[in-house]
Amino acid sequence: MSDVPDLTRGPVLSGVVGIAAPLALANLLQQGYLLVDSAVVGRYLGVDGLAAMGAAQPLYAILTSLFTGVSNAFSVRLGHLAGAGRRDDPSALRALAVCTVVWAVVCAVAAVLITSPLLALTGVTGEVAAEARTFLVTLCSGMIAVYALGAVCAVLTGRGDARRATGLMIAASVLNAVFAWLFVGPGRLGIAGAALAVPAASALAAAAGLTRLVREQRRRPPGTSGVTAATVRAEIRRGLRIGAPMAVQYLLIGVGVLALVWIITPFGDEALAALTVVSRLELLTSALFLNLSGALMVFTAQNTGAGQAARVRDGVRHSVWLGVALTAVVSLLLLTGRGPVAALFSGSDETRLITERYILITAPFFLCYTLTVVLHGWFNGIARTVVPLVCTVLSLGVIRLPLSYGLGHARGVDGVMWATVIGWAAGLVYTLLAAARSTGSPPEDGHDRDHDRDHDTKEGPMATSDNWGDR
């Protein structure tokens, strides 16, 4: 473990970038796989295949949202432990393993029971609905492998070991792309083949990561506190307390995308296929900023655990300016290359034109989204995950969805696109107001109480007058 960087020391910007850069590379490749998957499905299975994936995607997001929140929460918790000098404490690892297995089973069962009713609610019927159900049920049947890989990467990221997490994600992305082409193309497995590629690739990458983690835990130094059922239950409670707002936030995003499918469906299969392409493009373009946010979360967590509040403040400042610079580059690339990008995914002229218009309308305002995401990484790192949750409720639930419905009726698909921009702007305004209020607020002792109970000889890490927490 000596090769793992200590984020509580050294230059601030290089510490954040050292986590963000490899994770961004890995996630860009992951999103690249999704684009390859869309291109393969679009070319081999046509508009119906793309529409089916677009209909299944929000349901998949709903099923995975809770685990995403919990795994991120354990990254925060492991960051706190690493900053407090308890990097090798195994109780949090066991707690994450329990949560992983339980939710994988729940998702597999839920996919079978709720997919058809939810698709019916969105208005997706016929062949597209049947293909969407096949895709989702097949994917969720192998969810244990997908979640295992996510859990391993959460552990590595929380410890600051971005290089190994990157290696696992890159391996999974490459395997995903290869399997998708093999299963859908030569294998002729249809939409089920596209779904099977994900757990197949995840299983191989997760097995490699788990083998290494288990070997490391067996070499824990003498004197490390043992694991009991009580300590594991305590870590589960801590993880769920931090992760519950995150999980609800991701759940709301999944429900919101499902509502967008319901809003878009009346515009036809071409519009639904374009929504699939657009959602994949959003995942690709936001990968840099989501990973910058994740890096800031881990940096903040470790320095909060070590009581380094001044480094947290510097990390936020550097991350924001880096986010602004990256947004300018990404937006310019999208605007200038919108035609070839849209043509890559579908031979349908209408689908291509809708995708181009989406880029033209939203790219100039992408900064609203990216700054919001980066600042949310800081809030999550100090375990104040309610702020991102409230932001999502406001920007998506209160503003974007109602406006998408209203403007969609008034101005067609373009109205839905403008609702996206307005929702981003509202989210940024709320996040900036929350950040401004937090600067002078007294510290919240959240994880410090846990730390003090376990190690009474150490002062709580937030026992400092320089605080960045939000009430």
Side-chain angles (χ1 to χ4, degrees), residues 151-369:
V152 171
C153 290
V155 171
L156 296 174
T157 302
R159 290 176 170 179
D161 194 355
R163 289 179 297 172
R164 281 169 53 195
T166 297
L168 292 176
M169 288 189 285
I170 288 176
S173 298
V174 173
L175 289 171
N176 275 337
V178 172
F179 288 158
W181 174 76
L182 284 175
F183 295 164
V184 177
R188 298 186 178 182
L189 296 178
I191 199 72
L196 280 173
V198 180
S202 298
L204 294 176
L210 283 171
T211 300
R212 179 74 178 270
L213 283 179
V214 170
R215 193 160 55 238
E216 287 178 353
Q217 285 304 113
R218 288 175 177 171
R219 294 200 303 262
R220 285 188 296 117
T224 302
S225 59
V227 180
T228 66
T231 60
V232 173
R233 286 195 300 268
E235 289 296 344
I236 290 175
R237 288 194 297 270
R238 288 165 185 151
L240 293 179
R241 187 175 67 245
I242 297 172
M246 292 185 188
V248 175
Q249 178 190 2
Y250 298 135
L251 177 63
L252 289 176
I253 291 173
V255 173
V257 176
L258 186 66
L260 285 174
V261 171
W262 174 72
I263 293 170
I264 290 290
T265 297
F267 294 105
D269 288 346
E270 286 78 8
L272 187 56
L275 176 64
T276 303
V277 175
V278 163
S279 64
R280 296 297 169 88
L281 285 174
E282 282 188 343
L283 288 173
L284 178 64
T285 54
S286 63
L288 285 172
F289 309 99
L290 290 171
N291 284 280
L292 179 58
S293 176
L296 181 59
M297 178 185 76
V298 175
F299 180 90
T300 299
Q302 287 199 16
N303 284 282
T304 298
Q308 301 270 9
R311 284 179 62 84
V312 173
R313 182 175 61 249
D314 290 341
V316 173
R317 185 175 65 251
H318 287 304
S319 298
V320 165
W321 282 114
L322 181 58
V324 170
L326 290 173
T327 301
V329 174
V330 171
S331 298
L332 182 61
L333 289 175
L334 282 174
L335 287 169
T336 57
R338 63 185 183 276
V341 168
L344 177 64
F345 300 100
S346 177
S348 168
D349 289 339
E350 185 173 352
T351 298
R352 177 178 55 81
L353 290 174
I354 293 173
T355 304
E356 285 190 47
R357 286 205 307 275
Y358 178 86
I359 295 173
L360 186 62
I361 290 173
T362 61
F365 303 94
F366 196 40
L367 182 63
C368 295
Y369 169 80

